[in-house]
């Protein structure tokens, strides 16, 4: 990625947010063709790691550990309160999304339009039978949201629409109660954590289509949507919303519906905008 374009890129994804902070932290001390930044595979945490200090060591003529400590000190206020920044052994910089920060990103994903690509993204034709499970997941999200609106767990501003909306805006609760009174995330079930992780992974992989100066970078949109669909199905089978949860833990029910809102929005975006197919309200 050309770092000259990072500051122009809308901070739609978590990775884009972090790359822009790294560029500001480096400032005029050095120029790079690419800032190494990767997501950890640990689905229980939203953790990004960067070996930028190793890359800068020769140019800056300092040890990676010294460079990492300097950058971490500069990054900390730039990333606060969304990320906790620390230096790991060998000069690796770790940035972990905090619970309040995760709440901000989930709220944004659940209630903010994704920008449309400036030009239609060409994607390979995917057969209807392969698309059906993804379309089913989208339709199931829509059905659950309408049911929750009817049961007054949430209030949707315009529940009766003819086609899948970009965003189903909530009249209440707004914002969604992602965290408890101690700012701890309510969503701690493994299936919830997995769905959250998958939502952010998909968003990060969509990053190239949001770049101002786009570069040809192949992305398998079907695979992304299918992985998100599978994570949603696991979540729905293991995490209840109605029954005792609705009565005894209404805010947890609302948080889980927030995840469904985010999933519906992202599935619709991929189906309609990237795969040029229908995102059905019901099946």
């Amino acid at each position: 990625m050309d770092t000259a374009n990072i500051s122009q890129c809308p901070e739609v994804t978590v990775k884009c947010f972090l790359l822009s902070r790294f560029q500001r932290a480096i400032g005029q001390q050095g120029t790079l063709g690419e800032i190494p930044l990767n997501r950890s595979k640990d689905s229980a945490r939203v953790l990004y790691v960067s070996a930028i200090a190793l890359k800068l060591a020769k140019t800056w003529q300092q040890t990676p550990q010294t460079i990492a400590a300097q950058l971490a000190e500069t990054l900390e206020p730039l990333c606060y309160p969304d990320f906790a920044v620390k230096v790991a052994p060998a000069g690796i910089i770790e940035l972990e999304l905090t619970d309040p920060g995760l709440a901000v990103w989930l709220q944004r994903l659940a209630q903010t339009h994704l920008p449309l690509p400036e030009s239609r993204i060409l994607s390979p034709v995917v057969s209807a039978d392969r698309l059906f499970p993804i379309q089913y997941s989208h339709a199931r999200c829509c059905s659950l949201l309408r049911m929750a609106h009817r049961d007054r767990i949430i209030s949707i501003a315009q529940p009766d629409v003819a086609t899948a909306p970009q965003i189903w805006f909530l009249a209440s609760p707004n914002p969604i109660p992602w965290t408890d009174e101690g700012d701890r995330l309510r969503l701690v079930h493994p299936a919830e954590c997995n769905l959250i992780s998958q939502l952010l992974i998909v968003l990060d992989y969509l990053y190239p289509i949001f770049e101002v100066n786009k570069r040809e970078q192949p992305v398998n949109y079907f695979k992304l949507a299918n992985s998100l669909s599978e994570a949603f199905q696991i979540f729905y089978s293991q995490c209840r919303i109605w029954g005792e949860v609705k009565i005894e833990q209404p805010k947890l029910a609302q948080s889980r519906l927030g995840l469904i809102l985010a999933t519906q929005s992202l599935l619709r975006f991929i189906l309609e905008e990237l795969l040029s197919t229908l995102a059905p309200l019901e099946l």
Side-chain angles (χ1 to χ4, degrees):
M1 178 182 306
D2 184 352
T3 57
N5 295 328
I6 290 175
S7 61
Q8 303 174 45
C9 172
E11 292 177 352
V12 178
T13 75
V14 178
K15 189 170 185 177
C16 183
F17 172 91
L18 289 176
L19 286 170
S20 70
R21 269 44 182 190
F22 266 104
Q23 183 62 19
R24 286 166 62 181
I26 294 168
Q28 304 301 316
Q29 300 182 61
T31 56
L32 296 169
E34 184 177 352
I35 296 175
L37 183 67
N38 297 296
R39 170 80 183 274
S40 166
K41 294 182 180 179
D42 184 357
S43 64
R45 307 163 66 195
V46 182
L47 176 68
Y48 290 79
V49 296
S50 176
I52 183 64
L54 279 70
K55 188 171 183 177
L56 291 172
K58 185 175 180 180
T59 306
W60 288 19
Q61 297 184 335
Q62 297 177 29
T63 66
Q65 198 76 19
T66 300
I67 295 171
Q70 292 173 1
L71 290 178
E73 186 177 358
T74 307
L75 282 167
E76 195 165 8
L78 294 175
C79 296
Y80 181 83
D82 286 14
F83 283 86
V85 184
K86 63 178 281 190
V87 178
I92 302 298
I93 299 176
E94 295 184 348
L95 304 103
E96 182 171 4
L97 201 53
T98 63
D99 282 3
L102 188 49
V104 170
W105 282 94
L106 288 174
Q107 180 72 19
R108 185 181 301 181
L109 188 53
Q111 293 287 261
T112 305
H113 295 290
L114 287 175
L116 298 180
E118 292 183 7
S119 59
R120 176 66 64 176
I121 305 296
L122 296 178
S123 59
V125 176
V126 181
S127 61
D129 60 325
R130 296 180 72 202
L131 283 171
F132 180 80
I134 302 170
Q135 292 174 315
Y136 173 81
S137 289
H138 179 272
R140 191 64 184 143
C141 287
C142 295
S143 173
L144 291 168
L145 292 170
R146 285 176 152 171
M147 191 184 308
H149 174 80
R150 288 195 300 268
D151 287 355
R152 299 184 179 182
I153 306 175
I154 58 174
S155 176
I156 300 172
Q158 293 180 310
D160 301 316
V161 291
T163 57
Q166 287 187 358
I167 291 289
W168 242 316
F169 286 109
L170 289 189
S172 67
N174 189 8
I176 297 163
W178 304 106
T179 58
D180 62 18
E181 290 72 17
D183 271 346
R184 293 180 297 271
L185 197 70
R186 297 180 192 278
L187 305 168
V188 295
H189 188 284
E192 294 168 335
C193 294
N194 183 52
L195 181 54
I196 290 170
S197 179
Q198 198 60 46
L199 284 165
L200 296 177
I201 286 171
V202 170
L203 198 61
D204 279 346
Y205 268 107
L206 292 180
Y207 172 78
I209 71 170
F210 302 128
E211 275 191 89
V212 175
N213 296 323
K214 300 175 182 64
R215 300 165 67 177
E216 291 299 323
Q217 187 172 346
V219 177
N220 190 328
Y221 302 121
F222 167 76
K223 184 178 180 181
L224 287 179
N226 196 51
S227 296
L228 181 56
S229 171
E230 290 175 352
F232 164 73
Q233 291 295 339
I234 293 170
F235 158 79
Y236 175 63
S237 68
Q238 297 184 11
C239 300
R240 297 186 180 279
I241 295 171
W242 279 265
E244 289 183 6
V245 175
K246 173 191 170 184
I247 296 169
E248 299 177 6
Q249 298 177 283
K251 291 185 178 180
L252 175 59
Q254 291 170 337
S255 297
R256 288 176 171 173
L257 287 163
L259 281 189
I260 294 175
L261 274 165
T263 302
Q264 180 269 328
S265 172
L266 206 44
L267 286 177
R268 186 216 63 82
F269 181 84
I270 298 175
L271 285 168
E272 293 191 348
E273 304 300 337
L274 303 180
L275 294 176
S276 302
T277 191
L278 178 67
L281 284 170
E282 55 186 14
L283 284 174

